[in-house]
């Protein structure tokens, strides 16, 4: 009996692969699973978006592993004690600045220290050409209304700063930086010195995991006029 493929060449499957209809069918088969997977992928993105909105999800971003406020091995008790001498002493040392920054993240107020650091970098600009793009970035990030990391400034300070953005100077952000500095010094710094992670460093212990706390309201300069930090608690 003769081979049926010789009698009916249209049954030759290998040959049919070169025909247009085979290519269409092949692409359709590949597209179907892709289409079916879209709803699942969308649902996963929606679930991820909801998860990112939960405060507890960001806990790891702020704190990392337990006891990660600062590395106890790299900070001696003597060095930690010096941080309590003055706020300026704390910020002048890299380990102290890092520890304080991480502390502010537990209070969801890290925009203050980030603004202060940005201003310090701004004042190190070597040429006038560097000032304008840096000034705009700082203004749009920290000062303008509804900025992503807007810091709390009084109306006068914000107005004076805004007026000089077009032709910025090295001193453009001095008033705003000093305002934020005082707020941190009189509000966050005393709490940092009373915090368990800092006290553990002073005692030479491994820092414990700090408790996340949310600010009940934003503080202004007027809240702290005439107020002095109370260090008796530590």
């Amino acid at each position: 009996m003769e081979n049926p493929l010789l009698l009916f060449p249209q049954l030759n499957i290998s040959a049919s692969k070169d025909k247009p209809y085979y290519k269409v069918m092949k692409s359709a088969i590949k597209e179907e699973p892709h289409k079916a997977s879209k709803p699942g992928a969308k649902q996963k993105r929606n679930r991820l978006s909801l998860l990112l909105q939960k405060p507890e999800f960001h806990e790891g971003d702020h704190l990392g592993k337990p006891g990660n406020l600062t590395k106890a091995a790299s900070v001696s008790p003597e060095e930690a004690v010096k941080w309590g001498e003055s706020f300026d002493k704390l910020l002048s040392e890299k380990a102290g600045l890092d520890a304080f920054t991480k502390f502010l993240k537990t209070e969801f107020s890290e925009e203050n220290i980030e603004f202060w650091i940005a201003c310090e970098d701004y004042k190190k600009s070597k040429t006038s050409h560097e000032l304008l793009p840096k000034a705009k970035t700082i203004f749009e990030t920290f000062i303008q209304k509804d900025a992503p990391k807007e810091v709390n400034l009084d109306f006068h300070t914000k107005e004076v700063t805004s007026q000089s953005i077009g032709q910025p100077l090295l001193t453009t952000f001095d008033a705003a930086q000093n305002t934020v500095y005082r707020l941190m010094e009189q509000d966050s710094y005393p709490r940092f010195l009373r915090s368990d992670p800092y006290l553990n460093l002073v005692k030479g212990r491994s820092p414990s995991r700090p408790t996340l706390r949310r600010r009940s309201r934003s503080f202004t300069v007027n809240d702290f006029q005439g107020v002095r930090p109370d260090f008796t608690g530590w």
Side-chain angles (χ1 to χ4, degrees):
M1 183 175 178
E2 295 187 14
N3 190 332
L5 295 178
L6 297 177
L7 296 175
F8 304 98
Q10 64 272 24
L11 296 178
N12 190 332
I13 297 175
S14 62
S16 67
K17 290 183 179 180
D18 295 329
K19 294 182 178 181
Y21 79 88
Y22 176 81
K23 294 181 180 180
V24 172
M25 290 300 295
K26 188 176 180 181
S27 62
I29 292 172
K30 287 186 176 181
E31 288 177 359
E32 283 304 316
H34 178 68
K35 290 180 180 179
S37 65
K38 284 186 177 179
K42 184 176 181 180
Q43 291 175 0
K44 288 182 180 179
R45 288 195 297 270
N46 290 339
R47 287 196 296 269
L48 178 60
S49 177
L50 291 173
L51 182 62
L52 289 171
Q53 295 175 12
K54 294 182 178 181
E56 58 269 23
F57 179 86
H58 296 280
E59 182 177 343
D61 293 338
H62 292 309
L63 304 177
K65 296 180 180 179
N68 196 36
L69 184 60
T70 189
K71 295 179 180 178
S74 63
V75 179
S76 67
E78 292 76 18
E79 183 179 2
V81 168
K82 290 181 180 179
W83 297 349
E85 294 177 0
S86 69
F87 187 47
D88 184 64
K89 180 68 175 179
L90 172 69
L91 298 187
S92 66
E93 298 186 10
K94 185 179 183 303
L97 176 60
D98 181 61
F100 185 65
T101 299
K102 289 174 180 176
F103 171 76
L104 291 184
K105 287 182 178 181
T106 69
E107 297 196 327
F108 301 94
S109 60
E110 65 270 23
E111 70 277 0
N112 291 324
I113 192 64
E114 289 177 3
F115 172 68
W116 184 86
I117 292 173
C119 291
E120 288 294 290
D121 176 73
Y122 174 82
K123 290 186 292 187
K124 295 176 183 177
S125 300
K126 301 297 183 181
T127 66
S128 58
H129 297 292
E130 295 181 52
L131 295 181
L132 185 58
K134 283 186 176 182
K136 287 185 176 181
T137 298
I138 293 175
F139 180 76
E140 293 172 359
T141 304
F142 298 101
I143 297 180
Q144 73 177 10
K145 185 178 180 180
D146 297 326
K149 296 184 178 182
E150 185 177 3
V151 293
N152 197 326
L153 298 173
D154 59 90
F155 176 80
H156 176 72
T157 301
K158 180 175 289 191
E159 189 68 16
V160 170
T161 305
S162 301
Q163 291 174 356
S164 63
I165 293 299
Q167 295 180 327
L169 304 172
L170 282 177
T171 58
T172 290
F173 296 103
D174 282 2
Q177 185 184 18
N178 290 336
T179 298
V180 171
Y181 180 95
R182 289 198 304 271
L183 292 176
M184 291 191 294
E185 182 182 33
Q186 299 173 6
D187 176 35
S188 303
Y189 177 54
R191 285 202 304 276
F192 169 76
L193 296 179
R194 294 194 296 265
S195 68
D196 288 338
Y198 173 73
L199 294 177
N200 286 334
L201 285 178
V202 171
K203 297 174 184 177
R205 300 173 183 172
S206 298
S208 59
R209 189 185 186 90
T211 302
L212 288 175
R213 54 187 295 173
R214 291 186 178 278
R215 291 171 294 173
S216 58
R217 66 187 180 92
S218 297
F219 294 96
T220 63
V221 181
N222 294 332
D223 292 323
F224 300 104
Q225 289 183 347
V227 177
R228 291 288 181 269
D230 180 11
F231 302 129
T232 57
W234 67 277

